[in-house]
């Protein structure tokens, strides 16, 4: 009797999320430590619940070190049942721009199939355009753009052209 073997190609995906609205109450705070404001806390929870309804379960959440981005990541992670201690803070997202983020993705372990990146504009729009060919004229706070990549290894990110799975802004979500 012949031995049957099956291989399943795994698609990779990235949910690119802009941090929620930050507070400008203290004008003297350095940019990197500006916290979320009340609206930011609310919309990050709203988006977290929306992602839960879509059954979006990240294998890995990577956040900018900026307070507003990290707190957005924490709010979404809590709702999705993702362990906060597993959120990776990567300065690349804040300091290195689009190519830095693409290279960061390229170095990921292939055990991760579904990644969330929480960061900042205008860099995130540039990453979206590079990975999917889609132009996002406005990428507001707490917006989410999911890209499916037809590849099995993150090393192949430059060769893969992603496809938009969805693009959602908080104003489109109803509770």
């Amino acid at each position: 009797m012949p031995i049957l073997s099956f291989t399943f190609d795994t698609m990779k995906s990235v949910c690119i999320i802009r941090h929620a609205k930050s507070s400008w109450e203290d004008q003297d705070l350095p940019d990197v430590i500006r916290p979320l404001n009340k609206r930011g806390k609310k919309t990050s929870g709203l988006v977290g619940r929306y992602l839960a309804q879509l059954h979006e379960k990240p294998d890995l959440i990577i956040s900018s070190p900026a307070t507003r981005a990290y707190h957005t990541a924490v709010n979404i992670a809590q709702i999705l049942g993702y362990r906060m201690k597993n959120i990776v803070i990567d300065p690349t997202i804040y300091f290195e721009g689009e190519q830095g983020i693409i290279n960061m993705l390229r170095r990921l372990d292939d055990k991760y199939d579904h990644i969330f990146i929480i960061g900042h504009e205008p860099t995130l729009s540039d990453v979206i355009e590079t990975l999917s060919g889609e132009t996002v004229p406005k990428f507001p706070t707490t917006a989410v753009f999911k890209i499916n990549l037809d590849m099995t290894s993150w090393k192949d990110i430059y060769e893969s052209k992603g496809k938009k799975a969805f693009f959602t802004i908080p104003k489109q979500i109803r509770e």
Side-chain angles (χ1 to χ4, degrees), residues 3-42:
I3 298 174
L4 299 175
S5 68
F6 298 95
T7 59
F8 297 97
D9 288 337
T10 305
M11 183 184 303
K12 305 293 187 195
S13 65
V14 182
C15 270
I16 297 173
I17 304 167
R18 184 175 176 196
H19 66 78
K21 198 80 171 156
S22 61
S23 173
W24 287 90
E25 203 170 287
D26 184 348
Q27 298 287 323
D28 295 329
L29 277 180
D31 181 69
V32 76
I33 61 171
R34 276 191 290 117
L36 294 179
N37 67 13
K38 186 177 178 180
R39 184 171 127 206
K41 291 173 188 172
K42 180 181 176 187

Side-chain angles (χ1 to χ4, degrees), residues 98-116:
E98 170 215 353
Q99 278 307 309
I101 292 173
I102 304 285
N103 288 330
M104 175 193 74
L105 288 170
R106 192 169 189 264
R107 292 187 299 270
L108 287 175
D109 189 315
D110 288 329
K111 71 180 180 182
Y112 302 117
D113 292 324
H114 188 34
I115 309 301
F116 282 17

Side-chain angles (χ1 to χ4, degrees), residues 136-163:
V136 181
K138 184 165 171 43
F139 196 58
T141 53
T142 334
V144 182
F145 193 107
K146 182 180 179 184
I147 302 168
N148 290 328
L149 297 149
D150 189 16
M151 61 185 196
T152 57
S153 176
W154 290 104
K155 289 182 214 107
D156 298 330
I157 200 157
Y158 286 109
E159 291 79 39
S160 176
K161 202 51 158 179
K163 291 194 185 328

Side-chain angles (χ1 to χ4, degrees), residues 20-119:
K21 198 80 171 156
S22 61
S23 173
W24 287 90
E25 203 170 287
D26 184 348
Q27 298 287 323
D28 295 329
L29 277 180
D31 181 69
V32 76
I33 61 171
R34 276 191 290 117
L36 294 179
N37 67 13
K38 186 177 178 180
R39 184 171 127 206
K41 291 173 188 172
K42 180 181 176 187
T43 59
S44 58
L46 178 71
V47 167
R49 288 186 294 282
Y50 174 78
L51 292 169
Q53 288 173 350
L54 294 178
H55 304 288
E56 293 292 332
K57 296 286 184 183
D59 299 319
L60 180 64
I61 296 177
I62 309 170
S63 173
S64 157
T67 301
R68 62 196 180 275
Y70 178 71
H71 287 166
T72 301
V74 165
N75 290 345
I76 291 170
Q78 286 177 322
I79 291 165
L80 296 177
Y82 184 90
R83 299 181 81 179
M84 286 177 287
K85 71 176 190 170
N86 293 338
I87 296 172
V88 173
I89 298 172
D90 193 323
T92 301
I93 298 170
Y94 188 80
F95 293 106
E96 293 187 32
E98 170 215 353
Q99 278 307 309
I101 292 173
I102 304 285
N103 288 330
M104 175 193 74
L105 288 170
R106 192 169 189 264
R107 292 187 299 270
L108 287 175
D109 189 315
D110 288 329
K111 71 180 180 182
Y112 302 117
D113 292 324
H114 188 34
I115 309 301
F116 282 17
I117 295 175
I118 292 90

